[in-house]
Amino acid sequence: MSEQEMSGKEKTLFGKGLNPSNILPQKLTLDSKIKFRCHPDVECFTACCRGIKIVLTPYDILMLKNRLGLPAHEFLQEYTTPVYLEKTDMPGVALKLREDDENTCPFVTPEGCTVYTDRPSACRYYPVGMADFHEGQGSMGKGADHKDEEKFFFIVKEDHCKGFKEDKEWTVAEWRKDQGVDVRDEMNKEWLRLVMRRKSFGHQASLSEQAKRMFFMTSTDLDHFRRFVLESSFLDTYIIDDETVEKIKNDDVELMLFSFKYLANALFGAEGLSIREDKIQAKVEEIKQRQDDSVTDSIQAYKDIKAARGEEIDPDLL
């Protein structure tokens, strides 16, 4: 689906379908106070779970497929649909809505969310959005300092939502902690940096098909990525310490965080992974050989043309 094909309802902010007019024009800090509460007795309960587009982060996929006891490929096939991440050519997935039920989230019932404790990040952010001026900008290599990123928060207020009429008052920080957003932010941040970095390039450059496939596989199927690392020539190519290898073998979260480092290196040349010197030399020799073969082929083609015309060949080419 191209950006032009997406309707205003489908355009997303942290995966949640938004219309910019629903964003209140006020910058908030962690100490700012808001009044909001969602619970089964509120009039609009689960209304926000229809007609939406929830893009899943790698951590969302990990938590949901574990919750459902499914391997990643089965979860993806049954519960997701392919999308391009907002304003990029990076492939990702969104929850597959129940079209026969008002395009409702597959995990929602009249009683509420059946995967609530493992619900996607986008569901946790609402109604407090976060903006970051510096994601996707500047270096991703040595010396990149993300501590000074300028973040602020804002309220998304949609007409159907009655949660704002509740009398529960929170600070933004309290709300985010209650919803588990801080944990999700930590898990998602390096992946989101990749997306924001790609977005900053605009349309003047595009990812190769191989890069797209690698990004999709690494972002959606950690089981596949683990096999790629452990069963291919990956460990013979990259210098990975034994402790990291053990983490990759046994810890899904550590594997996911490593995958972000790998993607940053593979897609944007960020530092953090080193290729073995002998592999670099072998690649140099391979390129040189291809160049030599190309020159040889060109000379032979020249000779064939000259011979066909009955013309003399330059002695230097003999």
Side-chain angles (χ1 to χ4, degrees):
M1 180 185 297
S2 70
E3 182 71 14
Q4 289 77 16
E5 291 172 320
M6 293 170 65
S7 69
K9 176 80 173 179
E10 289 176 317
K11 292 187 179 181
T12 62
L13 183 67
F14 294 114
K16 185 79 175 181
L18 294 176
N19 182 324
S21 64
N22 293 325
I23 298 176
L24 300 187
Q26 180 183 9
K27 289 185 180 180
L28 305 178
T29 70
L30 288 171
D31 295 324
S32 298
K33 293 186 177 182
I34 63 170
K35 278 190 176 183
F36 185 84
R37 184 170 175 242
C38 183
H39 55 90
D41 293 329
V42 74
E43 181 183 343
C44 61
F45 188 58
T46 74
C48 58
C49 304
R50 297 179 176 85
I52 54 175
K53 180 180 179 182
I54 299 293
V55 175
L56 300 179
T57 70
Y59 190 65
D60 292 337
I61 295 169
L62 173 60
M63 298 305 289
L64 286 170
K65 68 101 174 174
N66 287 348
R67 170 67 174 257
L68 299 171
L70 295 173
H73 70 277
E74 289 187 18
F75 170 78
L76 294 172
Q77 182 173 1
E78 184 169 352
Y79 290 104
T80 73
T81 186
V83 296
Y84 282 109
L85 304 180
E86 184 186 11
K87 296 182 181 178
T88 77
D89 54 356
M90 286 174 149
V93 295
L95 280 182
K96 185 190 298 181
L97 304 180
R98 300 198 302 260
E99 294 183 2
D100 58 350
D101 185 19
E102 301 181 17
N103 285 324
T104 300
C105 170
F107 303 120
V108 168
T109 68
E111 290 73 37
C113 179
T114 60
V115 294
Y116 187 77
T117 56
D118 296 302
R119 65 197 185 281
S121 302
C123 305
R124 297 167 186 267
Y125 292 135
Y126 189 82
V128 180
M130 181 179 72
D132 184 338
F133 282 130
H134 295 280
E135 281 190 2
Q137 300 178 18
S139 170
M140 288 188 68
K142 187 175 181 180
D145 185 359
H146 302 298
K147 295 180 180 179
D148 295 326
E149 292 169 335
E150 184 180 348
K151 293 181 173 66
F152 67 88
F153 306 93
F154 53 87
I155 293 295
V156 178
K157 192 171 184 179
E158 298 178 286
D159 292 340
H160 71 262
C161 183
K162 309 304 180 186
F164 293 97
K165 295 183 179 181
E166 297 289 303
D167 58 3
K168 174 67 174 178
E169 187 172 72
W170 321 68
T171 65
V172 169
E174 289 170 341
W175 172 257
R176 284 166 54 81
K177 182 177 180 181
D178 182 76
Q179 297 297 301
V181 172
D182 289 346
V183 173
R184 293 296 172 127
D185 278 353
E186 187 63 26
M187 291 295 103
N188 293 330
K189 69 177 183 180
E190 295 304 327
W191 184 77
L192 287 172
R193 286 192 206 287
L194 295 171
V195 178
M196 298 300 288
R197 174 83 173 195
R198 179 74 194 112
K199 188 186 295 187
S200 72
F201 282 99
H203 298 292
Q204 67 267 31
S206 60
L207 293 176
S208 67
E209 289 304 312
Q210 181 180 2
K212 290 178 183 179
R213 287 194 297 270
M214 179 58 68
F215 179 82
F216 184 81
M217 180 268 286
T218 306
S219 297
T220 62
D221 191 340
L222 284 176
D223 298 331
H224 194 165
F225 180 65
R226 179 179 277 117
R227 292 195 298 272
F228 168 69
V229 172
L230 299 178
E231 299 175 15
S232 72
S233 60
F234 189 95
L235 295 178
D236 292 329
T237 302
Y238 291 93
I239 302 173
I240 311 294
D241 63 87
D242 293 340
E243 181 180 358
T244 299
V245 172
E246 283 303 307
K247 290 179 179 178
I248 289 171
K249 288 180 179 178
N250 302 306
D251 190 317
D252 284 343
V253 172
E254 291 291 344
L255 175 66
M256 181 191 72
L257 297 177
F258 176 80
S259 76
F260 301 158
K261 182 184 294 187
Y262 165 70
L263 285 174
N265 177 268
L267 298 180
F268 303 113
E271 297 185 9
L273 290 180
S274 299
I275 298 177
R276 298 180 187 278
E277 186 62 33
D278 60 321
K279 296 296 181 181
I280 296 175
Q281 279 303 120
K283 179 58 70 173
V284 170
E285 291 300 321
E286 178 187 335
I287 294 172
K288 184 176 182 299
Q289 185 61 51
R290 285 205 302 267
Q291 292 173 334
D292 290 345
D293 291 345
S294 178
V295 171
T296 301
D297 291 344
S298 296
I299 291 175
Q300 185 59 51
Y302 172 78
K303 288 180 179 180
D304 292 344
I305 292 172
K306 284 287 191 179
R309 293 176 177 176
E311 299 175 359
E312 289 189 13
I313 299 173
D314 188 335
D316 291 337
L317 296 179
L318 296 174

